[in-house]
Amino acid sequence: MDPKLGRMASSLLASLLLLEGAMFSPSSPPAGLLEKVFRYIDLHQNEFVQTLKEWVVVESDSVQPLPRLRQELFRMMALAADKLRCLGASVDSVDSGVQQLPNGQTLPIPPIILAELGSDPKKPTVCFYGHLDVQPARQEDGWLTDPYTLTEVDGKLYGRGATDNKGPVLAWINAVSTFRSLEEDLPVNIKFVIEGMEEAGSVGLEELVRKEKDRFFSRVDYIVISDNLWLSQRKPALTYGTRGNSYFTVEVKCRDQDFHSGTFGGILNEPMADLVALLGSLVDSSGHILIPGIYDQVAPVTEEERKMYKAIDLDLEEYRNSSQVKRFLFDTKEEILMHLWRYPSLSIHGIEGAFDEPGAKTVIPGQVTGKFSIRLVPHMNMSVVEKQVKQHLEYTFSKRNSSNQMAVSMTLGLQPWIANIKDNQYLAAKRAITTVFGTEPDMIRDGSTIPIARIFQDIIQKSVMMLPLGAVDDGEHSQNEKINRWNYIEGSKLFAAFFLEMAKLHY
Ligand SMILES: *[C@@H]1O[C@H](CO)[C@@H](O)[C@H](O)[C@H]1NC(C)=O
Ligand SMILES: *[C@@H]1O[C@H](CO)[C@@H](O)[C@H](O)[C@H]1NC(C)=O
Ligand SMILES: *[C@@H]1O[C@H](CO)[C@@H](O)[C@H](O)[C@H]1NC(C)=O
Ligand SMILES: [Zn+2]
């Protein structure tokens, strides 16, 4: 520990002890560790906010491939590495090589931080994943404050990266540093994986996790990710699943060149007509996917699941209003959430080669490519889905007796992720949430695809949990991103309480 920081910590500790003495008469029972930790976090919340401010000021944008921003990213990772060293962690900043840009240039990839604190074989080892890069932000895009100056308005801390993901990473660090400052034993061994390329597709991360599987990750028991949001503004959540995605293209071709409808219209099987029929055969107007067999492997809904969906806090009217949609395909909260999270969906995205400019042009495209994707859920098998889609399109196409050629391919396949919510860390997190927030969490999933959870689960083969801290209206990736002071500070307490619950449950 930096000697100056050491002095600061001990003087803080002294003032805390004084305060405790003042607050408790001799006859009160000694405050428990948890109360002590919570009080410390409350008393030091302005310092925690100040550190977040120092992190938000770094323009660690990984999306725009500019050398200046890349330098900022390196600076950000160095700041985090220093912070972790001050906590007493052993820190390895792993060089991750270079990023190849489409224009042929290369940019250095910021190091991935692998850090660890404690290696007591009697304690569980919890590995925390987070990222410190951010999406681009410019005040001209509609920010009310400078995106890189953390600004507090009505308890909301506005700034790029405040909720995604600098705030949650610091909340974890705040929890650890509280035990350190109080000179209390950490209840768990902790490992950190912190990257700086998440918003650019986590370049180099999967490779590193594979490489470190039997070294850094060998003693990891649990993996925690805090990189998503609650479903509500006030009620905390635990996330136990995400959908996968398989992306398809279907090409219909007559010839390379386009035709004029005055000279060829009436004597051709038009590729666009074939494609529209093919795309039209995929899903009906109630959202039901028409590909035979596609629902066969979808996990049946259990009674326990029904109860979980019922307990979720979602104001459907507000959700509808804020989405600016007149009517959804379903009327109840349960049906809507289930169709977003635990049933597959098929979406049609676009047609390459189509005439899509304003005005009227009498072209017959000679070749068109339709694009659609299916969000996958447990226990759909991607190679089975691929086969079913191809068979269905081939059958539909053959019925048209078209002289054109059709080619279907699956261009991307990402597996869904689902966790066992009976696992110890889910139980510990539920207890910690109930202690800090006085309510059980919403048990939620995410309808989109977040590959990192599945990657950790597949490679390390340990329980993965998403434990979000941010509220639904935090606006990650958007203008005026924020984290509420309340979420940040109570979130720091939540992690501390989680460590204590983990230690109690682990055997
Ligand atoms: C939704 O919008 C309607 C019509 O604009 C309004 O009457 C209603 O109060 C809104 N409900 C919520 C929960 O915001
Ligand atoms: C998916 O299905 C294929 C073909 O039926 C099978 O070989 C494969 O083992 C299945 N994969 C999983 C993960 O079940
Ligand atoms: C399909 O088209 C061929 C000519 O390309 C024609 O001979 C045949 O009768 C058609 N079959 C059907 C079922 O329309
Ligand atoms: Zn994020």
Side-chain angles (χ1 to χ4, degrees), residues 131 164-165 198-199 227 476-477:
H131 67 90
D164 182 16
N165 186 227
E198 197 271 347
E199 306 293 0
D227 192 20
E476 50 182 1
H477 294 201

Side-chain angles (χ1 to χ4, degrees), residues 315 317-318 321:
D315 183 338
E317 190 176 302
E318 191 192 314
N321 281 5

Side-chain angles (χ1 to χ4, degrees), residues 1-3 5 51 54-55 74-93 111 113-115 117 132 170 173 177 192 194:
M1 189 187 276
D2 172 318
L5 272 159
T51 311
E54 287 159 18
W55 281 22
F74 274 75
R75 192 157 76 83
M76 184 67 244
M77 299 316 284
L79 264 179
D82 277 351
K83 184 89 189 161
L84 290 167
R85 271 187 210 104
C86 287
L87 291 181
S90 64
V91 181
D92 197 359
S93 292
I113 294 177
L114 299 179
L117 255 170
L132 295 176
L170 271 174
I173 289 175
S177 79
F192 289 90
I194 300 180

Side-chain angles (χ1 to χ4, degrees), residues 258-268 270 361-364:
D258 291 346
F259 300 91
H260 186 290
S261 71
T263 44
F264 284 94
I267 61 167
L268 289 179
E270 298 190 8
K361 187 166 145 191
T362 55
V363 64
I364 301 173

Side-chain angles (χ1 to χ4, degrees), residues 33-45 48 167-168 170-179 187 428-429 431-437 467 469 485-501:
L33 177 53
L34 194 65
E35 285 75 19
K36 219 161 101 182
V37 165
F38 284 4
R39 198 169 322 117
Y40 182 93
I41 293 173
D42 278 334
L43 284 172
H44 293 80
Q45 56 173 289
F48 295 149
L170 271 174
W172 190 273
I173 289 175
N174 297 341
V176 174
S177 79
T178 298
F179 283 91
R431 289 183 182 169
I433 286 171
T434 309
T435 302
V436 174
F437 295 97
L467 176 51
L469 298 190
R485 177 185 275 260
W486 182 72
N487 288 63
Y488 177 53
I489 297 304
E490 298 306 297
S492 303
K493 291 181 194 168
L494 172 58
F495 287 145
F498 172 66
F499 299 159
L500 287 163
E501 292 292 349

Side-chain angles (χ1 to χ4, degrees), residues 381 383-384 387:
N381 174 323
S383 58
V384 173
K387 209 177 295 167

